[in-house]
Amino acid sequence: MRSHLVHARQLVIAAIAAALACVLAPSGHAAPVGALPLDARLNEQIITVPAGAALNVQLETTVYRPSGPGPFPLLIINHGKSPGDPKAQGRDRFVYMAAQFVKRGYAVLVPMRTGFARSTGTYTDFGCNMKANGYQQAGDIADVVSWARAQSWIDGEHIVIAGQSYGGLASLALSTQDLPGVRGVMNFAGGLKVHGGSCDWQQALVNAFGEYGRKNRIETLWMYGANDSYFNPQLVGRLYDAFNSNGGRVDLVAYGAFKHDAHTMLGSRDGQPVWLPEVERFLQKVGMPTEQVYAVAEPAPQPATNFAALDDVAAVPFLPERGRQQYRAFLGKQMPRAFAVSPSGAWGWAEEGESVNERALAACQSGSRQPCKLYSVDDYVVWTDTPDPANNSATGRTE
C-alpha cells in the first residue's frame, strides 16, 4: 500500500465535470441538448455489446482506438450515475482519458450499463445494499471483458479497468473476480450515495468495501480528492481501512482540493495533471504499456478576435435582456466554458467537462431555427461580425 498527499498548490487546477449545459430561447424556456459529433481524432464509434445472463441486453458502447488492425491493449472506463432516470442519462465519453490511452496504443471502451442511456434492459437498484449494487453493475463489465477478449483487434491479455463514482464501486466489485487478461482496476472517487431515505448508506458502503477487499483478486489504484462532494476524506479513510485490513490490494492516492468538486476530476480538461502521473505508475506496476506510440492532434482552438472585450455585455449580438443577464452569469462560470448565440435571439452555454464548444452550440441550436455561432470561449471573445454564409445575414452587433 502507498498512501500519499498530492498538494501541488492544493491542486486547485481542475474540475466540476458536472458538464452543465443550458439553453434559453427568447421565450425563456429550457431546451434539451442534442447529440455531439464523434471525435475523428480518436476514431470514435458507437457500437453495442451483448450482456446479461442470456446476452440479450445490448450495451451502448463508445469505442476509441488507434488506426490499424491491432491487437491493442484495452482500457474499459465505467461511468457514474446521474440523478433521476438512468434512461435519461447521456452517453458518457471520457474523452480526455481516452485520448491519453489511444496515444499509448490502447483501444478504449466506455459501455453504458444495463438500463442507462440507450442500452437496453432495466436498471436494478438495490437501495442501501451496496454490495449488491456493486456486484450487479460488475456483471455488465465482466460481460464486456468477455466480449472484448474475443475481438481480433484487442489484446486479451493486457486489459485494465477504470471507473468513476458508481463505476468505481462497480469496478472494485469486479476486482473480486479472477478475470483472464485483467491486470488492474482503477477507482476514481468510487462509491454510491443514497439520496433521501433513512438507511446509513455510508456504513453500507464501508461494509461493501470490506467484502470486496476480502475477496479482492486484482491490484487496485484509488484516487480521491479532499473536496469530493460525495465522499469526504473521513469516509474515504473508512473505505480504505475496510478494504485494506481485509487483505485487499490497494494503492491509495489522496490528493488535495480540485476546483469546486473533486468528485468529477476525471472528466475535466484540467484533471489530467492530477491523474495521469499516478495512472502511469500504476500501469507500469501491473505490466501495461505507458509509452506514447501514436500522435493524436489536439483540438484546434477557436481564435480570439478584437470584436469586443469579454465583459462588454452590451456588445453581445442578438440577445434580449434576459440573454444578457445570462451572459453576465456565464462570466462567473468555470473554464473550460463557451457561450453561443443565434440571430433568432436564442443562446446556449456550457461549462466544465468535455466538448464545451459543441455542447454550447448544441444547447443554443436546440432553441433556434437559425444557425448558432460561438461568441466567447474560456476568457476571450471569438465572434466576428462578418456575414454568415449559412444564413446570408449579418452577424454583427445589434443596437
Side-chain angles (χ1 to χ4, degrees):
M1 186 285 290
R2 174 176 57 92
S3 176
H4 67 273
L5 246 346
V6 181
H7 273 305
R9 298 182 197 161
Q10 280 300 88
L11 290 178
V12 189
I13 43 170
I16 249 181
L20 176 60
C22 168
V23 61
L24 291 169
S27 62
H29 296 300
V33 176
L36 298 175
L38 299 179
D39 194 328
R41 302 173 308 134
L42 305 174
N43 296 316
E44 182 180 10
Q45 296 175 283
I46 303 172
I47 64 171
T48 57
V49 172
L55 296 181
N56 59 351
V57 173
Q58 296 297 314
L59 304 183
E60 179 188 28
T61 301
T62 303
V63 180
Y64 305 98
R65 56 186 289 188
S67 298
F72 307 111
L74 176 66
L75 166 69
I76 300 174
I77 312 178
N78 300 294
H79 63 83
K81 182 181 184 302
S82 300
D85 182 2
K87 279 291 184 190
Q89 183 165 324
R91 175 176 65 96
D92 279 279
R93 299 173 73 212
F94 294 99
V95 170
Y96 301 122
M97 184 175 223
Q100 290 302 321
F101 273 79
V102 171
K103 287 179 182 179
R104 288 159 175 78
Y106 286 70
V108 180
L109 298 178
V110 186
M112 302 303 296
R113 298 186 298 279
T114 300
F116 284 90
R118 294 186 179 180
S119 294
T120 62
T122 303
Y123 168 72
T124 303
D125 188 342
F126 291 94
C128 220
N129 186 341
M130 296 297 179
K131 297 176 188 176
N133 281 325
Y135 286 135
Q136 175 77 11
Q137 299 300 305
D140 279 353
I141 307 172
D143 289 339
V144 174
V145 171
S146 295
W147 176 88
R149 283 175 52 83
Q151 308 308 306
S152 63
W153 50 278
I154 288 174
D155 176 356
E157 299 306 315
H158 290 85
I159 300 173
V160 285
I161 309 294
Q164 194 271 333
S165 193
Y166 197 6
L169 174 67
S171 298
L172 288 179
L174 185 78
S175 79
T176 64
Q177 301 183 36
D178 284 313
L179 291 174
V182 176
R183 295 174 174 240
V185 167
M186 297 178 286
N187 159 32
F188 298 90
L192 180 64
K193 180 177 181 179
V194 175
H195 298 274
S198 56
C199 72
D200 186 349
W201 64 269
Q202 295 189 347
Q203 184 58 51
L205 205 56
V206 171
N207 294 342
F209 275 54
E211 176 166 312
Y212 299 160
R214 186 167 59 254
K215 297 181 177 181
N216 174 248
R217 298 291 182 271
I218 305 170
E219 294 282 350
T220 70
L221 167 70
W222 298 11
M223 293 193 70
Y224 289 86
N227 62 333
D228 190 302
S229 63
Y230 282 63
F231 312 119
N232 61 42
Q234 292 73 28
L235 176 57
V236 172
R238 293 171 63 195
L239 298 176
Y240 168 77
D241 288 342
F243 191 92
N244 183 62
S245 65
N246 278 290
R249 290 170 282 182
V250 52
D251 187 355
L252 172 64
V253 179
Y255 60 92
F258 188 82
K259 282 192 173 177
H260 294 324
D261 188 353
H263 189 68
T264 51
M265 177 274 292
L266 189 64
S268 170
R269 178 183 70 184
D270 299 323
Q272 182 176 304
V274 182
W275 63 260
L276 183 55
E278 303 298 336
V279 165
E280 286 187 315
R281 276 190 277 273
F282 182 71
L283 293 175
Q284 290 174 345
K285 177 180 179 180
V286 298
M288 294 292 290
T290 58
E291 255 189 75
Q292 293 192 34
V293 290
Y294 290 91
V296 174
E298 293 299 320
Q302 288 284 326
T305 66
N306 296 318
F307 179 78
L310 179 70
D311 59 357
D312 186 351
V313 178
V316 185
F318 309 129
L319 294 183
E321 181 52 36
R322 189 171 178 201
R324 298 190 190 284
Q325 292 172 4
Q326 286 287 310
Y327 184 72
R328 288 188 189 94
F330 165 79
L331 294 176
K333 302 300 179 182
Q334 292 193 112
M335 291 185 273
R337 64 188 184 187
F339 194 95
V341 297
S342 165
S344 69
W347 67 91
W349 58 268
E351 70 166 334
E352 262 298 0
E354 301 167 352
S355 308
V356 289
N357 294 1
E358 292 83 356
R359 287 191 288 119
L361 286 166
C364 175
Q365 202 63 64
S366 65
S368 175
R369 293 181 179 177
Q370 297 189 57
C372 292
K373 290 176 58 178
L374 292 174
Y375 178 77
S376 67
V377 172
D378 288 344
D379 57 356
Y380 57 93
V381 172
V382 299
W383 184 266
T384 59
D385 57 358
T386 56
D388 186 347
N391 63 7
N392 199 31
S393 64
T395 57
R397 302 172 189 257
T398 58
E399 300 299 331

